[in-house]
Amino acid sequence: MNSVIIVLGSPNDEQGNLSALGIARCEQAWQEYTKNPDTKVLCTGGFGASFNVTNQPHSFYTREYLINKGVPKTQFLPLVLSRFTLEDATLAKTVIEAAQITDAVLVTSDFHMTRAKFIFSYVFPTIQFSYAPALTILAADELAALHEHENKAMLREYKNKTLFLEALAVSNTNK
């Protein structure tokens, strides 16, 4: 069985310091890793005006955090330079298939987990997933804004799923 912990990206500042969301996700990933130190780790996140304007991809900072916690460099799969959740999954697909992954632990923030589950389940229908939500500690108004964003994003993801499955069907017929 080939396992991976997938750590979804979040914002960092102009110096590459992870946000509270990023640190919480890394800490959750670390907890998962300590349960099974043979597991590979896949970090996502590239560049974007709203989450990372440094000269290194966000996933670089996540990986460095986890290395500093004690995850050996050899346990990491190639970084995924994604900008949003659907891209996390679609760009990770090649990496995960090349590593012959059969099961995965998906790590993201608790408020984001419903959407992440939805996306990863249709991009990876044959992988056995478990889920490890990182607790989000924010002021009530900030958390409410995040939940509102997720509700709107889910409407978009239902449309994306239809388009994705249609494209996959076309791709499979052309093989």
Side-chain angles (χ1 to χ4, degrees):
M1 172 172 27
N2 289 330
S3 302
V4 68
I5 298 166
I6 303 169
V7 188
L8 299 189
S10 59
N12 54 262
D13 68 15
E14 297 80 17
Q15 290 77 43
N17 299 305
L18 296 175
S19 65
L21 295 176
I23 291 170
R25 291 177 187 189
C26 285
E27 289 295 325
Q28 186 64 47
W30 170 247
Q31 287 179 25
E32 296 301 318
Y33 179 78
T34 61
K35 294 175 192 174
N36 186 357
D38 292 329
T39 302
K40 295 292 186 183
V41 179
L42 175 69
C43 300
T44 71
F47 302 95
S50 65
F51 69 94
N52 179 25
V53 295
T54 70
N55 62 352
Q56 293 286 346
H58 171 76
S59 49
F60 169 84
Y61 300 115
T62 302
R63 181 181 65 194
E64 290 302 302
Y65 186 99
L66 291 168
I67 288 169
N68 288 332
K69 291 291 289 185
V71 179
K73 290 180 182 180
T74 56
Q75 290 306 109
F76 289 89
L77 295 177
L79 300 176
V80 172
L81 306 186
S82 50
R83 299 167 294 164
F84 46 87
T85 310
L86 180 58
E87 209 171 66
D88 288 335
T90 57
L91 294 180
K93 191 166 179 62
T94 304
V95 175
I96 287 173
E97 287 174 349
Q100 300 178 336
I101 299 298
T102 56
D103 63 294
V105 177
L106 186 62
V107 176
T108 191
S109 301
D110 49 6
F111 69 87
H112 182 240
M113 188 58 80
T114 299
R115 182 160 58 109
K117 279 183 186 181
F118 180 78
I119 291 169
F120 276 79
S121 69
Y122 70 82
V123 173
F124 297 99
T126 61
I127 291 187
Q128 180 67 41
F129 276 95
S130 59
Y131 305 97
L135 182 63
T136 304
I137 301 174
L138 292 173
D141 60 331
E142 291 175 286
L143 195 53
L146 290 171
H147 282 287
E148 184 178 330
H149 168 79
E150 288 301 308
N151 290 337
K152 289 177 183 174
M154 277 303 293
L155 296 174
R156 181 184 65 239
E157 298 308 346
Y158 289 123
K159 292 176 189 173
N160 287 339
K161 179 180 180 181
T162 301
L163 295 172
F164 178 82
L165 293 175
E166 288 171 359
L168 188 60
V170 168
S171 171
N172 287 338
T173 14
N174 291 333
K175 286 184 179 179

